Amino acid sequence: MKKSLLILGIIAFSLTSCKKEIETETEGTSVDSTIVQVDEHNAKNSLDYIGTYKGFLPCADCEAIETTIALNEDSYIKETVYKGKSNEVFKETGKYTWNEAGNTIRLSGSEAPNQYFVGEGVLFHLDADGKRIEGDLADSYRLLRIQISEPVAPVQKEEVKTKEIAKVDIKNSKWRLVKLNGKTIQKNTDTKKEFGINFNTDGRFSAFAGCNNMMGSYKLKEEVSRIEFSKVASTMMACEDMVTEQEFAKVLETVDNYNFDGKTLKLNKARMTPLAEFEIIK
């Protein structure tokens, strides 16, 4: 009887010891799993994000903003079209940077909101505070990666366009005014002087729109297609019809960006319809 009790005691002690060892091992495993759960992967180092993304973002005063963003390794090309309002393509180029978490990019040189959360094959357009947009239109604030089935033709077309642009340097060019605030400007037959603007290499410009000679300074930021006119002055002659001249002078004070394809020049304010359009004078 005593021998049986001794055996049972040994078995009970062994089971208790095993249980403690299992609990200890379980606790140790829990600590290790916490370390393993630390995930250092992010969009920047894990996703194949380089490519072209396209979508239609909501617009307050048009049907939609057709937006296309092409991401290279450290630069971007962004094109927007305000559907139902204008067929004008607004193009931006520049660099982009990542946030510390490596999941969001910021388009440098682009007007805010200019941040995008990078997902698998998608860019989510963020609000001005860099947060995901919620609500009924949340799904509309995303650009999906597109597949270009025939990449050769677009590349060749872009190369031709680049060569064409290289023929003209804005800083040393003369332009004839053809449209002002959407109205076609007829070629001036009363004088040998063209309605238009001349850019000099020293950062000065001269302009004429029917009566007085205008002049001043200009600054270009060609990498982001920005332009600024300053110190605008003119002669003081009085003429019968000065409406076009006055509108032209106001446009020069208003515009802040431009579109340029080597043959035509358009001066714009923000993303509005072009305020003045010119053609090159050869």
Side-chain angles (χ1 to χ4, degrees), residues 21-249:
E21 289 178 2
I22 292 172
E23 289 176 350
T24 301
E25 291 178 358
T26 303
E27 292 176 358
T29 303
S30 176
V31 173
D32 291 342
S33 65
T34 302
I35 297 173
V36 172
Q37 289 175 3
V38 176
D39 188 3
E40 296 181 354
H41 295 289
N42 54 40
K44 182 178 180 181
N45 59 33
S46 301
L47 296 181
D48 180 19
Y49 60 87
I50 294 176
T52 301
Y53 301 78
K54 185 174 183 178
F56 294 85
L57 304 180
C59 177
D61 58 353
C62 64
E63 294 177 5
I65 305 174
E66 182 180 350
T67 305
T68 304
I69 297 178
L71 296 180
N72 297 313
E73 289 189 1
D74 61 353
S75 63
Y76 73 90
I77 301 173
K78 179 182 177 182
E79 294 184 349
T80 52
V81 178
Y82 289 76
K83 307 297 289 185
K85 185 175 182 181
S86 170
N87 292 325
E88 182 72 24
V89 178
F90 296 91
K91 185 174 181 180
E92 300 176 5
T93 60
K95 304 288 186 179
Y96 64 86
T97 57
W98 289 88
N99 65 351
E100 292 184 2
N103 58 24
T104 300
I105 59 172
R106 180 190 298 271
L107 307 184
S108 303
S110 183
E111 293 183 3
N114 58 354
Q115 296 185 71
Y116 294 84
F117 182 88
V118 181
E120 183 69 46
V122 62
L123 297 180
F124 291 96
H125 183 74
L126 305 181
D127 64 16
D129 297 322
K131 298 179 180 179
R132 287 282 294 273
I133 296 173
E134 301 177 348
D136 296 337
L137 297 176
D139 288 341
S140 300
Y141 288 92
R142 61 179 181 175
L143 310 178
L144 299 179
R145 188 170 181 174
I146 61 176
Q147 300 293 330
I148 302 176
S149 58
E150 299 180 359
V152 176
V155 170
Q156 290 176 346
K157 183 178 180 181
E158 185 65 25
E159 288 177 355
V160 172
K161 183 177 179 182
T162 302
K163 291 178 181 178
E164 183 178 286
I165 291 174
K167 293 178 182 178
V168 177
D169 182 2
I170 294 183
K171 297 177 182 178
N172 183 25
S173 59
K174 298 180 179 181
W175 300 89
R176 179 185 297 109
L177 181 64
V178 294
K179 279 189 178 183
L180 184 64
N181 292 323
K183 297 179 294 185
T184 300
I185 302 298
Q186 300 298 327
K187 190 173 182 179
N188 187 13
T189 58
D190 297 333
T191 176
K192 295 180 180 180
K193 215 168 192 180
E194 295 278 6
F195 283 25
I197 188 168
N198 300 343
F199 294 97
N200 300 323
T201 55
D202 61 358
R204 303 285 298 173
F205 78 89
S206 59
F208 180 76
C211 183
N212 290 281
N213 294 316
M214 291 179 278
M215 69 288 293
S217 303
Y218 72 93
K219 291 182 181 179
L220 287 181
K221 291 184 179 180
E222 296 179 273
E223 67 277 7
V224 290
S225 298
R226 297 286 181 180
I227 190 168
E228 177 185 353
F229 294 93
S230 61
K231 300 179 181 178
V232 180
S234 71
T235 55
M236 301 297 291
M237 293 189 298
C239 303
E240 292 184 4
D241 184 4
M242 298 181 64
V243 175
T244 301
E245 179 181 304
Q246 291 169 352
E247 289 185 5
F248 190 27

